Amino acid sequence: MTASASAPAAPTPLPSPGGPGRIALYYRFTPLADPEAVRLWQRTLAVSLGLTGRIIVSPQGINGTVGGPAEAVKRYVRGTREHPAFRGLEVKWSDGSAADFPRLSVRVRPELVAFGAPERIRVDEHGVVGTGEHLPADQLHALVAERAAEGRPVRFLDGRNSVEAAIGRFEDAVIPAAHTTRDLLEAVDSGSLDHLKDQPVVTYCTGGVRCEVLSALLKDRGFSEVYQLDGGIVRYGEAHGDAGLWHGRLAVFDRRLSLAFTDGAETLGRCVTCGGATSHLANCADPACTTLQVRCPDCVAAHPDHVCPRCLERTPA
Ligand SMILES: [Zn+2]
Ligand SMILES: [Zn+2]
């Protein structure tokens, strides 16, 4: 069966989108025989509902963040779930709107998450083969207490890049030196995380998608007890806010750049320019560069042409 044969038709457009906006974040690892057909169908569906955001379709499945009027996003999710491959698709909801994304982007990529190694991951209809055990957010504290009592404390491993980790992270987390997701693969392969091999490891990322792959790579390397935080930091924050093991702000991939679960979120970041305490993220001044840096609003205002270290290296003196 090909995806195109089973792709349901797009619903009729809403007459007047309005009301409060919502953002839906979701992923599913499942083999897709015809990603291009899924891309076309997804594009039509999202355009017909006036949504913006980013949807990645791959032979490994689908991963998306879309925003728009609440009713339109709900219809998008219902429409997506009509595809047999995406039945029962789990979605994380947050407040927001189409204005939080610059546009709609629907692309086919070799991987759902750009680790740069599609051949290292096997996906079947149950998801990533050999991935870490999914640990629901409400069971994390019990696991941490249990392992501590056994004298084998849980180690948190951040599955994001180092800028995301600079403004928010789990308690005493190991933060791999990672500019991009590709660097995480390098961190695993280089052996730089091997000191955690025989310890209980809980990987976490924003919504969980990166940990599906990261935890499988760790298990493949022989890590003995690997969990992935189910639903990621988003689900944990909904359950525990800032009263648990999470500290700081959560970086997100839309115009908000980051969010806090409560008004009591700690400021963990340090401005790369002045060293002052801030969790403000700023884009590199090069419009072609997508690198974010932790920079306080004062320094951003004073040096609007500031570029990231990588772009600085490329700039002739
Ligand atoms: Zn500053
Ligand atoms: Zn740059």
Side-chain angles (χ1 to χ4, degrees), residues 271-276 278 295-300:
C271 174
V272 295
T273 305
C274 72
T278 183
R295 293 183 71 222
C296 75
D298 288 348
C299 287
V300 172

Side-chain angles (χ1 to χ4, degrees), residues 21-265:
R22 296 292 266 167
I23 291 174
L25 173 72
Y26 64 87
Y27 68 84
R28 174 168 286 180
F29 281 93
T30 189
L32 295 180
D34 191 349
E36 179 57 24
V38 173
R39 184 190 74 80
L40 288 170
W41 161 63
Q42 276 286 305
R43 190 171 178 83
T44 307
L45 178 62
V47 166
S48 75
L49 293 165
L51 307 183
T52 60
R54 192 181 62 160
I55 301 165
I56 293 169
V57 182
S58 128
Q60 300 176 334
I62 192 166
N63 179 18
T65 316
V66 295
E71 187 53 35
V73 182
K74 271 190 223 156
R75 286 176 69 164
Y76 166 80
V77 169
R78 277 202 300 273
T80 300
R81 282 177 178 150
E82 281 173 29
H83 193 296
F86 308 135
R87 207 160 275 156
L89 181 73
E90 236 192 89
V91 173
K92 295 168 207 75
W93 297 94
S94 64
D95 294 330
S97 73
D100 288 315
F101 303 93
R103 62 181 181 281
L104 175 69
S105 153
V106 190
R107 293 211 171 96
V108 171
R109 291 271 165 80
E111 299 170 287
L112 271 201
V113 187
F115 277 83
E119 73 289 349
R120 298 271 294 269
I121 289 298
R122 267 203 311 130
V123 173
D124 69 15
E125 62 277 19
H126 306 294
V128 177
V129 176
T131 194
E133 188 179 326
H134 290 89
L135 184 69
D138 59 3
Q139 288 172 30
L140 175 63
H141 293 185
L143 179 80
V144 167
E146 233 172 72
R147 291 294 175 272
E150 293 165 5
R152 299 175 61 238
V154 160
R155 302 299 305 273
F156 288 106
L157 176 61
D158 202 307
R160 304 170 302 155
N161 69 51
S162 46
V163 173
E164 295 174 277
I167 63 165
R169 52 193 176 260
F170 273 92
E171 207 149 288
D172 300 323
V174 174
I175 316 286
H179 175 70
T180 65
T181 306
R182 275 165 199 267
D183 300 334
L184 285 176
L185 179 69
E186 167 64 20
V188 174
D189 287 350
S190 69
S192 68
L193 302 172
D194 282 357
H195 61 289
L196 304 172
K197 252 186 170 173
D198 298 316
Q199 303 180 36
V201 172
V202 175
T203 70
Y204 66 88
C205 59
T206 313
V209 65
R210 287 178 275 188
C211 289
E212 298 281 356
V213 177
L214 175 61
S215 64
L217 294 169
L218 293 172
K219 286 186 66 177
D220 192 48
R221 197 173 163 86
F223 282 60
S224 58
E225 191 178 352
V226 183
Y227 305 90
Q228 52 181 320
L229 186 59
D230 200 29
I233 302 159
V234 172
R235 274 278 145 76
Y236 182 88
E238 283 169 4
H240 301 285
D242 294 303
L245 298 166
W246 168 260
H247 302 281
R249 292 180 68 90
L250 172 62
V252 294
F253 304 99
D254 58 56
R255 284 194 171 133
R256 298 173 297 172
L257 296 181
S258 75
L259 57 85
F261 293 117
T262 70
D263 292 339

